[in-house]
Amino acid sequence: MLTFEEKLLIITESFPELERKNVSLGRVNFHYKDSSYDQKNVVYHLHPNGNGFVYAGKMTGYQTNDKGMVNIRDFTEKALRSTIRKSILSLTPKVNESELEPEEEIWINDNTVTLTLLKEDDLWNVYSDESLDGTFHSYKQAVHYLEEEGFLRI
C-alpha cells in the first residue's frame, strides 16, 4: 500500500491540472477546476492513514459508493495514476469529433502494404505511394474503408 506522502507526491507531480485543497483532520482534496460538470473533486479526502477516494462516477469498471467514488486505499502507483487520469478525462469538456481527426495517418496490412490517409481540403484521400486509392467525404468513412480492407493504423 502506498503511503499518504507517496500518494500526495504522485498526484502533485503527475497531475498539475489538479488544485490541492486542505480539509479537516489532515485530509486533502484535489479539484479539477476545468471540469465540465458540477463535480470538481477528483481526489476526495485523502487521509494521512493512506485512505482516500477518486471520483469514478462517469467511468465503467469501478465499484463506487453512492457519491461515485472508488476507494484507493490499496491502489498501486500504476492503478492510482490510471484511475486519476481516467477521472480527469471523464470530467473534461468534450470536444468536437472533427477536432480529434489527424491531418495524416499511415495504415498497414498483414502483407506490410502501407497506405497513407491524408486530409486535403474537405476530403480524405487514401494513397498508395503516389497513386490515389480512394476519396471520402469524412474521416469516419475513410477509416471504415481501411478497416474493411484489413488495414490497421500505425
Side-chain angles (χ1 to χ4, degrees), residues 25-145:
L25 304 173
R27 296 175 297 184
V28 179
N29 290 346
F30 284 89
H31 291 208
Y32 180 49
K33 65 181 171 96
D34 294 330
S35 175
S36 58
Y37 302 95
D38 288 340
Q39 177 63 35
K40 302 285 185 207
N41 277 331
V42 170
V43 179
Y44 180 71
H45 284 181
L46 181 59
H47 193 278
N49 69 9
N51 201 17
F53 300 89
V54 169
Y55 181 70
K58 298 193 175 303
M59 300 164 16
T60 59
Y62 292 91
Q63 185 175 357
T64 61
N65 64 17
D66 60 341
K67 293 181 180 179
M69 299 286 181
V70 61
N71 191 298
I72 60 168
R73 180 180 189 92
D74 298 321
F75 273 31
T76 63
E77 180 177 345
K78 183 178 178 180
L80 181 62
R81 284 182 201 276
S82 174
T83 305
I84 292 172
R85 174 62 52 216
K86 289 176 188 174
S87 179
I88 292 168
L89 288 173
S90 77
L91 297 171
T92 300
K94 305 301 180 233
V95 295
N96 185 334
E97 190 173 299
S98 65
E99 292 176 29
L100 300 176
E101 296 172 350
E103 294 293 316
E104 182 176 350
E105 290 181 338
I106 305 297
W107 290 68
I108 191 167
N109 70 5
D110 290 340
N111 298 325
T112 67
V113 173
T114 59
L115 297 177
T116 302
L117 175 59
L118 187 61
K119 183 174 185 179
E120 296 177 308
D121 297 319
D122 291 332
L123 297 174
W124 289 90
N125 293 319
V126 176
Y127 290 95
S128 175
D129 294 321
E130 301 287 322
S131 302
L132 181 63
D133 189 60
T135 298
F136 303 90
H137 292 284
S138 73
Y139 175 75
K140 196 174 195 177
Q141 288 174 336
V143 167
H144 180 73
Y145 164 76

